Amino acid sequence: MSHLVYACLMAVDREHVLRSAADLLTRKSTATMDEVAKAAGISRATLHRQFAGRDALVRRSKSWASGSARRRWTRPGWKRAPRTRPYAGW
């Protein structure tokens, strides 16, 4: 197997890792790097190659999650809910 094929097989989808980390850290804020790696389906060593440590992973997953939400809200065709007055008439 050539080194190029091997490199493609070993490529890590960083967005998948960040999504998995954000999901897990939302449910369990004290999750370890090992738990995040298992949730993402990668080894702990691979996770450590992508992020310097847990703090870096947490910071990056927070910024990814906020950016993801911003992109979702500003995409074409997105309609915001109409403003209502929930307590009108009470």
Side-chain angles (χ1 to χ4, degrees):
M1 185 180 311
S2 76
H3 69 284
L4 292 175
V5 172
Y6 183 74
C8 289
L9 291 175
M10 296 303 295
V12 175
D13 182 4
R14 195 171 173 97
E15 186 168 339
H16 169 72
V17 173
L18 291 170
R19 186 181 316 115
S20 299
D23 289 344
L24 179 62
L25 291 168
T26 299
R27 288 182 277 124
K28 183 181 177 190
S29 62
T30 60
T32 64
M33 291 289 276
D34 190 40
E35 292 169 326
V36 171
K38 285 179 185 174
I42 60 174
S43 70
R44 193 176 64 206
T46 300
L47 184 62
H48 279 285
R49 278 193 289 276
Q50 296 292 317
F51 301 97
R54 187 178 183 283
D55 292 338
L57 174 64
V58 169
R59 275 193 312 274
R60 185 65 183 108
S61 66
K62 283 182 181 178
S63 68
W64 174 85
S66 66
S68 175
R70 191 176 317 110
R71 283 188 301 277
R72 208 174 311 128
W73 291 333
T74 58
R75 72 176 177 231
W78 173 264
K79 294 183 179 178
R80 294 180 187 238
R83 291 188 180 189
T84 60
R85 295 177 45 202
Y87 300 110
W90 279 26

